Amino acid sequence: MAMNPLYPKLSKLLSLTLAAGLAIAAPLRADMNSDLAFTAFAGKPVDIDSLAGGQIQQERGSLLDFQRGISVQSLYIIDAAPVDVAHKLLTWTPANHSELKVWMHLSLPAKPTAADFSGLGTLPDNGSVGYLLNGTANLDPDNPSLQISKAEAQGITALKAQNLDKKTLFVDFWSQVLAGRIDNFLGDKFATANYAISGGDILPFNEITSLIRSDPKVYADYHPLFSQTPLYASSKLAPADLYYECFDVEDYSTLGTGAIYQITNGTAIQSADIEFYLCSGIYADVELEKIWPVTVNGKTETLVWREDLISTANVAYLHGMERLASISLMLQDVQQGVNAFRAEFK
């Protein structure tokens, strides 16, 4: 989910490649029994006509062994060709939909530097963003309250010595941190990149791999894609899009950086949006889509399966009804996001 890719040649090449793969591989339908066998919808009735009419079918994901993990799955149809849906996943910005409370979402060049994060200076003046600005200005480098390493936290000392105003301090500090996190992810340091929290260190690599391995069927289906990302590969597939964003988590803004990867897999297109660093509230966020062509009333449309996986301290100790309530809220949030995404095609 990114805005205006800064490398259009790559996006164009991706579109052509996906289109060519679909043209030679796929009948214009989705074989529900086999295509959805790896999902939470396996063996359950799927009404194509209802989905084509705007319904979103949802299920909670598998019961994760990973204590901090929570997941939900969704199924819906978009009146567009699969290659167009795949491209929109790279080029749309949730910041255009105020109900999602995404304050900023911007694409980055393939190898960003701190200078590429000037969008941090355009965040709105609201209470959610204000909390993060104040949290940054009051950051104790010896005991950081935000999700950064102690080495990263030390960088604020020199900036504070320059007597910068609060907003400039915020932009300069987080530009350095986010650029460094992306460099770790795309380089060879992601597996060991960490940050300190009150209960000990968090390694985003471990959070993400624990999430994606929690459902063996989904993991097996997506392994051809995962194996080409920094999660596993030594020679890596270039991200189809690289982005940074700022959004609200329970009235407190968080900054995040992520990468989207896409490949064709048989008759389908697979997409993985891996948000590998967040500065507060959430430890990791993964969004998976698998899309197929499907015929509705003689017209080619797109069937989309989506899974959202989140690691957060907030659900670590929830059980029974409390955990189910948390899942219900997540289902509502995802449904809101799906509706916003589908609105881009009207």
Side-chain angles (χ1 to χ4, degrees):
M1 50 177 191
M3 183 175 74
N4 298 329
L6 300 181
Y7 31 96
K9 290 183 180 179
L10 176 60
S11 296
K12 184 177 181 181
L13 177 61
L14 171 70
S15 298
L16 293 173
T17 302
L18 295 176
L22 288 171
I24 63 175
L28 295 181
R29 65 184 185 84
D31 182 350
M32 295 296 175
N33 291 331
S34 60
D35 287 343
L36 298 178
F38 73 99
T39 76
F41 302 99
K44 298 180 179 179
V46 175
D47 187 339
I48 286 292
D49 291 333
S50 295
L51 294 180
Q55 178 187 350
I56 303 170
Q57 190 167 336
Q58 292 185 299
E59 297 283 346
R60 71 180 188 185
S62 61
L63 295 174
L64 306 187
D65 292 333
F66 180 48
Q67 190 179 31
R68 289 190 290 270
I70 187 171
S71 72
V72 299
Q73 297 185 23
S74 306
L75 198 65
Y76 60 97
I77 282 178
I78 292 179
D79 184 7
V83 68
D84 295 327
V85 175
H87 183 66
K88 180 65 73 173
L89 286 169
L90 305 177
T91 59
W92 87 297
T93 171
N96 288 338
H97 301 267
S98 59
E99 70 276 15
L100 302 182
K101 295 186 178 181
V102 177
W103 313 128
M104 175 203 67
H105 184 98
L106 296 170
S107 285
L108 290 162
K111 294 183 178 180
T113 66
D116 294 306
F117 293 87
S118 59
L120 292 169
T122 67
L123 290 172
D125 183 11
N126 61 35
S128 175
V129 174
Y131 280 126
L132 184 56
L133 261 69
N134 289 331
T136 303
N138 297 323
L139 187 69
D140 179 357
D142 295 319
N143 187 26
S145 55
L146 296 167
Q147 292 170 183
I148 55 177
S149 69
K150 290 187 177 180
E152 289 168 331
Q154 295 302 319
I156 204 164
T157 302
L159 292 174
K160 285 184 174 180
Q162 299 176 34
N163 294 316
L164 302 173
D165 64 83
K166 185 184 298 185
K167 194 166 188 178
T168 302
L169 174 69
F170 173 84
V171 172
D172 288 358
F173 177 68
W174 286 109
S175 294
Q176 294 174 18
V177 172
L178 297 183
R181 288 286 171 170
I182 291 175
D183 187 58
N184 287 342
F185 180 73
L186 297 177
D188 299 320
K189 300 179 181 178
F190 182 53
T192 58
N194 67 347
Y195 48 76
I197 61 170
S198 58
D201 287 349
I202 291 288
L203 277 73
F205 173 84
N206 289 349
E207 302 299 302
I208 293 169
T209 54
S210 295
L211 285 174
I212 64 175
R213 295 181 73 94
S214 60
D215 187 325
K217 289 184 178 179
V218 173
Y219 179 74
D221 196 80
Y222 268 77
H223 189 263
L225 176 54
F226 291 147
S227 65
Q228 300 180 66
T229 72
L231 300 179
Y232 295 103
S234 55
S235 58
K236 307 172 188 69
L237 178 71
D241 187 63
L242 191 64
Y243 66 87
Y244 70 116
E245 64 180 1
C246 181
F247 59 95
D248 182 87
V249 179
E250 298 180 347
D251 300 323
Y252 192 103
S253 287
T254 187
L255 296 171
T257 57
I260 304 176
Y261 295 86
Q262 291 186 343
I263 63 169
T264 55
N265 187 348
T267 64
I269 301 170
Q270 288 182 316
S271 182
D273 183 341
I274 304 168
E275 196 150 18
F276 50 87
Y277 173 69
L278 298 120
C279 77
S280 66
I282 299 172
Y283 298 149
D285 182 4
V286 178
E287 178 185 316
L288 306 176
E289 274 95 3
K290 190 169 183 179
I291 61 182
W292 302 264
V294 61
T295 300
V296 179
N297 296 324
K299 182 180 179 182
T300 302
E301 299 188 9
T302 296
L303 176 68
V304 182
W305 168 85
R306 167 173 166 168
E307 181 170 41
D308 291 80
L309 304 106
I310 291 176
S311 167
T312 173
N314 291 350
V315 301
Y317 303 105
L318 297 182
H319 302 281
M321 293 303 295
E322 289 181 334
R323 196 169 185 90
L324 289 174
S326 181
I327 291 172
S328 295
L329 290 173
M330 186 173 173
L331 286 167
Q332 293 173 26
D333 288 344
V334 171
Q335 187 173 83
Q336 193 173 51
V338 169
N339 285 330
F341 180 65
R342 286 199 301 196
E344 301 273 323
F345 293 88
K346 295 180 180 178

